[in-house]
Amino acid sequence: MSYRAVHDRLLGGEAWRWALEALAEPGLPAVRHPLGFVCLPLERDGGDGVCIHLWSDSLAHAESTTSQIHCHSWDLVSHVLYGQMRNVHVAVTDAGPEATHRVFEVVSGADGDRISPTHRTVRHATELIEVFGPGDTYTLSAGRFHSSVVPEGGEAATIALGRGRPGSRDLSLGPLDGAPHHVSRQPLDAEEAAAAVRLITAHLT
């Protein structure tokens, strides 16, 4: 199903129904994302993509090598299937000698993420915290720094739709002395991926 079709069903109030249909497909792949969630990639067409994201302490998750504060090269539409999501907007300012973080560029490929330090050093501050619950949909423009936070011990799942914006880059804040490095995406084995699907499905039914 295309990005547009999923988007239309989401706005039409059928997000949960679409999610159940998508999760019923056998052998869905799943990977541990460095931002702390499990990603089930469902559609990819050029710069458009549709995934289901799952935050759960019942599944092992990957750790970020930079930080949770990042910005996308694509416009995000996120729909909360269950749980609570906090979208924390972050103001990032160039800081010179008073900088606390360096901006890193993240280039994703089939073999993982290539993470490279840029010359930009910054400070950051929380600008706005939005709180969303089941059935809520929110958007975030490409290039806006933020972090997605689930309350400690909580669980949540979202449908994430991304539409690439030409000229934008995926960026993350990291340590000032961070070196270039490569991070491999960790796929879940078949048993864990099936467990992730069952967990989401159980919440939706």
Side-chain angles (χ1 to χ4, degrees):
M1 184 176 289
S2 69
Y3 172 101
R4 175 51 58 187
V6 177
H7 187 273
D8 289 347
R9 291 191 65 176
L10 187 155
L11 295 182
E14 294 191 355
W16 66 273
R17 192 184 305 276
W18 173 84
L20 286 173
E21 292 171 1
L23 293 170
E25 292 292 326
L28 285 178
V31 296
R32 302 183 217 281
H33 195 282
L35 291 175
F37 55 83
V38 168
C39 174
L40 291 86
L42 299 175
E43 302 289 342
R44 172 68 71 178
D45 182 14
D48 294 345
V50 181
C51 303
I52 290 180
H53 294 168
L54 169 65
W55 287 259
S56 174
D57 288 342
S58 67
L59 298 168
H61 56 83
E63 298 291 342
S64 173
T65 59
T66 50
S67 78
Q68 295 292 310
I69 301 172
H70 62 284
C71 72
H72 305 293
S73 61
W74 33 271
D75 295 325
L76 169 69
V77 178
S78 183
H79 178 87
V80 183
L81 290 169
Y82 65 85
Q84 184 188 96
M85 290 297 309
R86 297 174 184 170
N87 185 32
V88 182
H89 295 253
V90 177
V92 172
T93 55
D94 295 328
E98 297 183 346
T100 58
H101 291 76
R102 184 175 299 277
V103 177
F104 287 74
E105 182 175 13
V106 182
V107 178
S108 299
D111 61 343
D113 302 322
R114 188 175 74 250
I115 301 176
S116 304
T118 70
H119 294 297
R120 188 182 179 194
T121 55
V122 300
R123 297 178 69 87
H124 69 84
T126 298
E127 191 173 44
L128 172 68
I129 300 176
E130 300 174 301
V131 180
F132 301 99
D136 290 338
T137 299
Y138 63 96
T139 62
L140 186 75
S141 299
R144 290 291 304 272
F145 279 96
H146 79 124
S147 60
S148 299
V149 180
V150 173
E152 186 174 354
E155 293 199 352
T158 65
I159 300 173
L161 295 87
R163 170 151 283 179
R165 184 180 292 188
S168 297
R169 298 186 295 168
D170 292 313
L171 303 173
S172 180
L173 300 191
L176 290 170
D177 58 354
H181 58 285
H182 182 272
V183 176
S184 298
R185 293 291 175 92
Q186 304 171 20
L188 278 67
D189 62 28
E191 183 176 343
E192 266 194 308
V197 169
R198 287 194 302 271
L199 183 61
I200 301 170
T201 301
H203 276 88
L204 296 180
T205 54

PDB file of all heavy atoms in Angstrom, residues 29 34 75 110 135 142 150 205:
ATOM      1  N   PRO A  29       9.891  -8.183   8.580  1.00  0.00           N
ATOM      2  CA  PRO A  29      11.208  -7.901   9.168  1.00  0.00           C
ATOM      3  C   PRO A  29      11.102  -6.849  10.252  1.00  0.00           C
ATOM      4  O   PRO A  29      10.142  -6.063  10.292  1.00  0.00           O
ATOM      5  CB  PRO A  29      12.007  -7.371   7.966  1.00  0.00           C
ATOM      6  CG  PRO A  29      10.963  -6.715   7.100  1.00  0.00           C
ATOM      7  CD  PRO A  29       9.712  -7.556   7.258  1.00  0.00           C
ATOM      8  N   PRO A  34      18.772   2.733  16.378  1.00  0.00           N
ATOM      9  CA  PRO A  34      19.647   3.365  17.383  1.00  0.00           C
ATOM     10  C   PRO A  34      18.936   4.362  18.295  1.00  0.00           C
ATOM     11  O   PRO A  34      19.465   4.695  19.357  1.00  0.00           O
ATOM     12  CB  PRO A  34      20.703   4.075  16.517  1.00  0.00           C
ATOM     13  CG  PRO A  34      20.711   3.334  15.232  1.00  0.00           C
ATOM     14  CD  PRO A  34      19.305   2.869  15.016  1.00  0.00           C
ATOM     15  N   ASP A  75       9.853  14.945   6.061  1.00  0.00           N
ATOM     16  CA  ASP A  75       8.722  15.407   6.864  1.00  0.00           C
ATOM     17  C   ASP A  75       8.048  14.191   7.495  1.00  0.00           C
ATOM     18  O   ASP A  75       7.768  13.199   6.818  1.00  0.00           O
ATOM     19  CB  ASP A  75       7.720  16.164   5.998  1.00  0.00           C
ATOM     20  CG  ASP A  75       8.297  17.448   5.428  1.00  0.00           C
ATOM     21  OD1 ASP A  75       9.105  18.095   6.112  1.00  0.00           O
ATOM     22  OD2 ASP A  75       7.948  17.796   4.279  1.00  0.00           O
ATOM     23  N   ALA A 110      22.019   0.358   3.073  1.00  0.00           N
ATOM     24  CA  ALA A 110      21.592  -1.015   3.309  1.00  0.00           C
ATOM     25  C   ALA A 110      22.406  -1.685   4.403  1.00  0.00           C
ATOM     26  O   ALA A 110      21.923  -2.591   5.091  1.00  0.00           O
ATOM     27  CB  ALA A 110      21.693  -1.813   2.007  1.00  0.00           C
ATOM     28  N   GLY A 135      -4.523   7.376  19.262  1.00  0.00           N
ATOM     29  CA  GLY A 135      -5.402   8.033  18.300  1.00  0.00           C
ATOM     30  C   GLY A 135      -4.941   9.401  17.861  1.00  0.00           C
ATOM     31  O   GLY A 135      -5.488   9.970  16.901  1.00  0.00           O
ATOM     32  N   ALA A 142      10.894  18.435   8.258  1.00  0.00           N
ATOM     33  CA  ALA A 142      12.314  18.119   8.091  1.00  0.00           C
ATOM     34  C   ALA A 142      13.158  19.267   8.627  1.00  0.00           C
ATOM     35  O   ALA A 142      12.798  20.441   8.511  1.00  0.00           O
ATOM     36  CB  ALA A 142      12.624  17.881   6.614  1.00  0.00           C
ATOM     37  N   VAL A 150       9.288   8.103  25.374  1.00  0.00           N
ATOM     38  CA  VAL A 150       8.222   7.328  25.989  1.00  0.00           C
ATOM     39  C   VAL A 150       8.484   7.328  27.497  1.00  0.00           C
ATOM     40  O   VAL A 150       9.622   7.140  27.920  1.00  0.00           O
ATOM     41  CB  VAL A 150       8.215   5.881  25.446  1.00  0.00           C
ATOM     42  CG1 VAL A 150       7.225   5.004  26.208  1.00  0.00           C
ATOM     43  CG2 VAL A 150       7.870   5.889  23.960  1.00  0.00           C
ATOM     44  N   THR A 205      -6.147  -5.238  19.643  1.00  0.00           N
ATOM     45  CA  THR A 205      -7.349  -6.052  19.609  1.00  0.00           C
ATOM     46  C   THR A 205      -7.947  -6.216  20.999  1.00  0.00           C
ATOM     47  O   THR A 205      -8.931  -6.902  21.166  1.00  0.00           O
ATOM     48  CB  THR A 205      -7.029  -7.454  19.033  1.00  0.00           C
ATOM     49  OG1 THR A 205      -5.971  -8.050  19.765  1.00  0.00           O
ATOM     50  CG2 THR A 205      -6.638  -7.341  17.568  1.00  0.00           C
TER      51      THR A 205
END
